[in-house]
Amino acid sequence: MLLRSPEICLPTFTAFYTHYKQSLCDEELKRLLPPILSGTKSTNGIVRSGVIDLWLAITPLIISESGLKFSVDNILAPVLTGKTNGVDHRQALFKLIQHIPTGPQSREIIKGLIAQLEKETNESVLTCISEALPKHMVNVLKS
């Protein structure tokens, strides 16, 4: 459904999950994350911002550690393996990372972000990385 006409259906999905009161189980997350990640690859800026807004609505509903770990692994995978479609794709992925809540996955996020910080040359992507790092670093330092 998300892949047919994402610029039209993303706002509807976002509105739905903004008002959704139950937590997402791992199976639901595993069905939602691939289309979201696919949307980050889009050359259409409306689609990229739409999937980021959808992710922002969904992240408070992910309460299981396994769901958060699954999300972190899948969002960081294209970046860490060098299989991104360019600056816009990397920037969208790092914006998704910004909205992941702190927790046990913070260490993995920091490792992935710092590894990319060394390699990245684009300033807008570096800004996204630097905005994602602080809350996870504070969480790790407190624990």
Side-chain angles (χ1 to χ4, degrees):
M1 177 73 174
L2 282 174
L3 298 177
R4 294 287 298 176
S5 56
E7 58 277 343
I8 295 170
C9 68
L10 279 169
T12 306
F13 275 95
T14 302
F16 173 79
Y17 282 108
T18 300
H19 294 83
Y20 192 71
K21 300 299 178 201
Q22 297 179 352
S23 62
L24 287 178
C25 68
D26 290 349
E27 293 79 28
E28 292 169 321
L29 180 62
K30 287 178 183 178
R31 278 185 264 137
L32 279 171
L33 192 58
I36 290 172
L37 293 176
S38 179
T40 63
K41 297 176 190 176
S42 176
T43 56
N44 185 338
I46 296 169
V47 173
R48 285 192 313 274
S49 66
V51 294
I52 292 166
D53 292 341
L54 176 58
W55 182 248
L56 185 64
I58 287 174
T59 50
L61 305 175
I62 306 169
I63 58 170
S64 72
E65 286 185 26
S66 61
L68 289 170
K69 181 174 178 6
F70 174 78
S71 300
V72 169
D73 291 346
N74 282 279
I75 294 170
L76 283 178
V79 176
L80 296 176
T81 58
K83 295 183 178 177
T84 59
N85 293 347
V87 173
D88 293 334
H89 186 206
R90 289 193 308 275
Q91 188 173 11
L93 291 170
F94 289 127
K95 284 185 179 183
L96 296 182
I97 290 288
Q98 287 177 13
H99 300 297
I100 293 179
T102 59
Q105 68 281 357
S106 289
R107 288 186 192 278
E108 187 175 338
I109 290 172
I110 290 171
K111 287 179 189 175
L113 293 179
I114 289 179
Q116 287 308 305
L117 198 56
E118 297 171 354
K119 299 176 191 174
E120 189 58 55
T121 58
N122 185 281
E123 287 185 25
S124 62
V125 177
L126 285 170
T127 301
C128 290
I129 294 171
S130 64
E131 290 172 354
L133 270 172
K135 75 176 183 179
H136 293 288
M137 289 185 106
V138 167
N139 181 57
V140 169
L141 291 173
K142 283 183 178 178
S143 61

